[in-house]
Amino acid sequence: METAKAKVLITGSKGQLGTELKKRLGEKEAIFYTDREELDITDESAVKQYIDQNKIDLVINCVAYTAVDQAEEEPILADAVNHLGAKYLARYGKNIIHISTDYVFDGTGCLPYKSEDETNPVSVYGSTKLAGEKAVLAEAQTCLIIRTAWVYAAEGRNFVRTMLRLGKERDRLTVVADQVGSPTHAGDLAEAILQILPQAKTGTKALYHFTNEGVCSWYDFATAIMEEAGLECNIEPIETWQYPTKAKRPAYSVLNKTSIKKDFNLSIRHWRAALRDCIREIQEQTEGKEQEKQSREADK
């Protein structure tokens, strides 16, 4: 895709991936950052008007309804965001990078899922995201759909930040050990998108997978978080049935990344290295806020 002079719209700019993209791209006249307040992607007329008025050449859609359990109770809203919103952005934006999820698979496999493998979502969230994929492929002139999984960052609500908070409050936690996948640092996904953009060919439609390298269970992930953060919180493994949720989750959702690495010459680091950097960033932010607080109190 021609990006040198392109006007780019990044939706969901206050979310984890949007924030990481903004860190790297900064404030530029040709880049438009929107969140719910600036653009409701479920409003077709609003999407058309925004894209036409600003002469947008490329959309990077980072918006998603990701409350997996809540989606079971709000299927219409989840569909509006994950399916219809993606459809409108693809229809009027014409050229789009759209982020999807491992939850389009049922998790009954035992080998990393390839992009062409059969989908079979087992939750409202997964079903609406799959509907969004199909709409983007049908409506866009050029599209890259990137499925990812277990996304986290230094900002936002995510598993890493939750574990760090609970690890400071408690000396023992139970975490599911029979759901297996690959964590993804939003910063690494942002870097991959920016590396892919200049190489993507206009007029093509493709579907890829991206996560950090390596495989783990949520239990393994939680244990690593405590170790990297130096927290003395004991993580005990449990099975899915011991932690019932409204939405069913895939037991195995490891994604095969061979195509994206080959087609765009991507080098992807291991999830543990990415986690280490993220926790360091969180700790630095926390220390900085504490120093600011102490400084303000000293000035009183």
Side-chain angles (χ1 to χ4, degrees), residues 41-267:
I41 69 165
T42 68
D43 183 337
E44 182 174 5
S45 62
V47 171
K48 183 180 187 303
Q49 183 180 22
Y50 190 95
I51 288 174
D52 288 348
Q53 283 185 348
N54 295 291
K55 296 180 172 59
I56 300 299
D57 300 301
L58 169 68
V59 176
I60 302 177
N61 182 28
C62 305
V63 176
Y65 183 109
T66 58
V68 179
D69 291 315
Q70 195 171 334
E72 299 295 315
E73 297 181 346
E74 297 181 331
I76 295 175
L77 178 57
D79 186 74
V81 176
N82 294 338
H83 168 210
L84 297 179
K87 178 180 180 178
Y88 302 149
L89 289 168
R91 173 178 292 172
Y92 299 108
K94 296 181 175 60
N95 305 306
I96 185 170
I97 290 183
H98 176 67
I99 308 303
S100 193
T101 175
D102 57 325
Y103 277 51
V104 299
F105 298 110
D106 59 18
T108 59
C110 58
L111 292 174
Y113 286 100
K114 297 178 181 179
S115 58
E116 64 269 24
D117 284 343
E118 182 179 356
T119 53
N120 184 33
V122 293
S123 65
V124 168
Y125 169 65
S127 297
T128 57
K129 289 297 288 182
L130 180 59
E133 289 185 7
K134 292 178 179 179
V136 168
L137 287 167
E139 297 283 347
Q141 292 180 0
T142 303
C143 69
L144 291 181
I145 296 171
I146 302 176
R147 292 178 182 145
T148 190
W150 299 22
V151 179
Y152 67 93
E155 288 88 15
R157 296 174 61 184
N158 56 64
F159 185 76
V160 172
R161 287 175 59 85
T162 298
M163 287 297 104
L164 289 174
R165 175 176 58 80
L166 293 176
K168 293 175 183 177
E169 298 172 354
R170 308 178 190 178
D171 57 13
R172 173 184 170 275
L173 291 170
T174 58
V175 179
V176 171
D178 57 357
Q179 292 175 22
V180 177
S182 302
T184 307
H185 187 342
D188 287 20
L189 177 54
E191 292 281 0
I193 290 171
L194 296 180
Q195 185 173 336
I196 286 169
L197 270 177
Q199 303 178 61
K201 295 180 180 179
T202 302
T204 60
K205 298 184 180 184
L207 204 161
Y208 291 101
H209 290 166
F210 182 93
T211 64
N212 282 109
E213 295 283 19
V215 177
C216 65
S217 68
W218 288 109
Y219 161 76
D220 297 323
F221 194 18
T223 299
I225 291 167
M226 299 307 165
E227 290 176 356
E228 295 293 348
L231 295 174
E232 295 183 3
C233 178
N234 184 40
I235 306 296
E236 297 180 8
I238 59 172
E239 296 180 39
T240 297
W241 67 267
Q242 294 175 281
Y243 187 74
T245 56
K246 293 175 184 176
K248 186 177 180 181
R249 287 158 168 77
Y252 180 90
S253 61
V254 179
L255 300 177
N256 186 310
K257 300 177 287 292
T258 301
S259 293
I260 200 168
K261 289 190 288 186
K262 178 183 176 183
D263 290 357
F264 301 106
N265 193 30
L266 286 184
S267 177

Side-chain angles (χ1 to χ4, degrees), residues 1-8 25 28-31 57-58 194 197-200 202:
M1 298 181 195
E2 294 293 332
T3 57
K5 299 179 181 178
K7 288 189 174 182
V8 181
L25 293 170
K28 298 176 183 176
E29 285 187 11
I31 300 178
D57 300 301
L58 169 68
L194 296 180
L197 270 177
Q199 303 178 61
T202 302

